[in-house]
Amino acid sequence: MQRFPLTPLSLACSAVLVATACGGGATVDDDVSGGQSTADGSLTAGYVSAIDQLGLPVATEIGHFEDHGLNVTLADPFPTGVDAINALEAGEVDIIQVGVPGLVAVSEGVDLVFVGNYSGSSTQRSIDETMGIVASEDSDIDPEDLSTLEGATIGTSVGTINHLYLLGILKDLRIDVDDVELVNTAPPDMPVALETGGVDATVNWDPWPITIEDQVEGAYEVVRGGGYIPYVGYIATTPDYLEENPEMVEAFLAARAASDQWIRQNPEEAADTATRWLTGTDLEVAQTAMEFNIAQLDARFSACNFLAMDTVANLLEEQEVISYDFDINDHLKPTPILSVEENHPELFDDLAETPQTAEIESGHSFVREVDQDACAV
């Protein structure tokens, strides 16, 4: 039985923290250059206050955008990905970071193009290290036997990546969704729901699994990651903006890639930066979350990313969150990030190489059977 007291679209957001980003005062002493400037112009970018979206404010703080000839203004952080998309449509921002809500929006006719990742993987089909399930001490859920999730009441946010993560686990366990009770719950409400017995367990993105375990006495981790689903977190803009500003988009992606690399190579410093930009974020929590976050900081596109979007869209359609009647080839535009990979290979030399079979060219056209073979890992 499913209980959905909240509307799916209102909760169709990327990883959201109960926090607001600070607009200034943050500094990083390391002199890390992102490469030669490739553009000259100004733009406004939007993001959600979340640890996995930290690369955008970090790029501003360190100066990577300036290294690439850009003057980037950050909009005030959006509470959800839906709000970020609305701002993009209204012309208030030029580029945003958005996850699952981007697919929901596309299914409703919003014309978005995805030009890179803020979180994901170009080397494997599934990655979900930033996801976890936490249970109350009174539940009968056994971390050593995930089949005990059957019959449980689970707090999730319908139409978000945490919902998809739960679906992926249930599918792997061959547990019918109707054999668990889903309670549509906003992330900030999950600790109280778990503590008061409203749910047996909660499923969420970082840092929530970590903070809930800290805040709710007796709460324990049931599962973390596991490769049950592909994580999708995109850098997105409008087709018109991409067509009119290809060099600026490429420069933006190069700066973001430099920022991601700095975070991967300096996770402790990045966690400290998170406490300044994400007000109320505890340093110890940020440090733990960053360990998982850096595993998914891969801006590159490959056949695996096309397959990831297709997989997530199918999962959303199965749950009647969207109608998957759009062509992902109209929305995934790999040319800018492929150009960054070619012109700035040093920004990715600390990452695992994309499997040769999964490498793509700018004119790549997704065909499910072909891309499944190409991204076989």
Side-chain angles (χ1 to χ4, degrees):
M1 175 182 177
Q2 296 179 323
R3 289 193 284 124
F4 297 146
L6 301 178
T7 61
L9 186 56
S10 68
L11 279 172
C13 56
S14 52
V16 181
L17 300 181
V18 195
T20 57
C22 54
T27 59
V28 174
D29 295 329
D30 305 59
D31 180 15
V32 184
S33 175
Q36 297 298 313
S37 299
T38 57
D40 183 13
S42 300
L43 62 88
T44 301
Y47 71 110
V48 173
S49 292
I51 283 182
D52 63 356
Q53 296 206 28
L54 187 66
L56 182 50
V58 164
T60 303
E61 182 177 293
I62 293 180
H64 286 142
F65 289 126
E66 287 86 347
D67 291 340
H68 289 269
L70 294 178
N71 177 21
V72 174
T73 300
L74 295 189
D76 290 338
F78 297 105
T80 72
V82 174
D83 298 292
I85 293 168
N86 290 340
L88 183 68
E89 279 199 288
E92 297 168 5
V93 293
D94 302 305
I95 293 179
I96 60 172
Q97 296 183 159
V98 66
V100 171
L103 299 189
V104 177
V106 165
S107 74
E108 295 177 348
V110 178
D111 204 0
L112 297 176
V113 289
F114 306 103
V115 295
N117 298 316
Y118 71 78
S119 189
S121 176
S122 67
T123 65
Q124 59 195 74
R125 284 190 176 191
S126 298
I127 190 165
D128 47 26
E129 294 302 308
T130 61
M131 306 299 301
I133 295 180
V134 177
S136 69
E137 62 178 339
D138 295 329
S139 74
D140 294 321
I141 301 172
D142 183 358
E144 300 299 321
D145 180 9
L146 294 184
S147 68
T148 55
L149 287 168
E150 187 169 358
T153 301
I154 303 174
T156 187
S157 308
V158 176
T160 72
I161 198 73
N162 71 38
H163 182 203
L164 300 187
Y165 178 63
L166 177 60
L167 295 178
I169 291 176
L170 296 178
K171 189 172 185 177
D172 184 74
L173 295 169
R174 299 183 181 179
I175 296 176
D176 194 287
V177 177
D178 291 335
D179 291 331
V180 297
E181 183 175 8
L182 304 186
V183 180
N184 199 14
T185 312
D189 298 331
M190 288 186 180
V192 173
L194 195 68
E195 191 168 29
T196 59
V199 296
D200 299 313
T202 61
V203 54
N204 220 328
W205 50 71
D206 282 330
W208 289 109
I210 302 165
T211 56
I212 290 172
E213 199 171 349
D214 284 345
Q215 293 174 2
V216 180
E217 185 176 355
Y220 59 93
E221 182 181 275
V222 175
V223 61
R224 156 71 65 171
Y228 293 100
I229 61 164
Y231 198 96
V232 293
Y234 300 113
I235 296 173
T237 186
T238 64
D240 287 346
Y241 189 84
L242 175 60
E243 183 178 355
E244 295 167 7
N245 303 279
E247 292 184 355
M248 289 179 62
V249 171
E250 183 179 331
F252 183 91
L253 293 177
R256 282 292 288 102
S259 178
D260 286 346
Q261 186 179 63
W262 182 86
I263 293 172
R264 291 193 301 267
Q265 295 178 346
N266 302 275
E268 291 188 5
E269 292 90 337
D272 184 60
T273 302
T275 65
R276 298 195 296 273
W277 283 91
L278 309 175
T279 304
T281 301
D282 179 78
L283 178 59
E284 190 172 331
V285 170
Q287 288 173 336
T288 302
M290 197 61 66
E291 294 176 12
F292 301 113
N293 180 47
I294 59 177
Q296 297 182 189
L297 291 182
D298 184 351
R300 301 170 297 177
F301 272 174
S302 73
C304 299
N305 301 101
F306 281 76
L307 189 61
M309 178 177 279
D310 178 66
T311 301
V312 169
N314 275 309
L315 283 170
L316 289 169
E317 184 174 52
E318 287 173 10
Q319 294 302 301
E320 300 182 347
V321 175
I322 70 169
S323 294
Y324 184 16
D325 54 5
F326 57 88
D327 185 348
I328 65 175
N329 293 305
D330 294 335
H331 301 279
L332 273 175
K333 300 299 180 182
T335 299
I337 191 61
L338 293 179
S339 182
V340 173
E341 292 180 49
E342 180 179 356
N343 295 326
H344 300 278
E346 72 282 357
L347 299 179
F348 310 98
D349 60 13
D350 60 316
L351 291 171
E353 291 187 10
T354 300
Q356 188 173 0
T357 57
E359 292 179 355
I360 60 174
E361 297 181 352
S362 61
H364 181 74
S365 183
F366 174 75
V367 177
R368 184 175 295 125
E369 294 76 12
V370 173
D371 286 51
Q372 283 175 339
D373 289 341
C375 185
V377 291

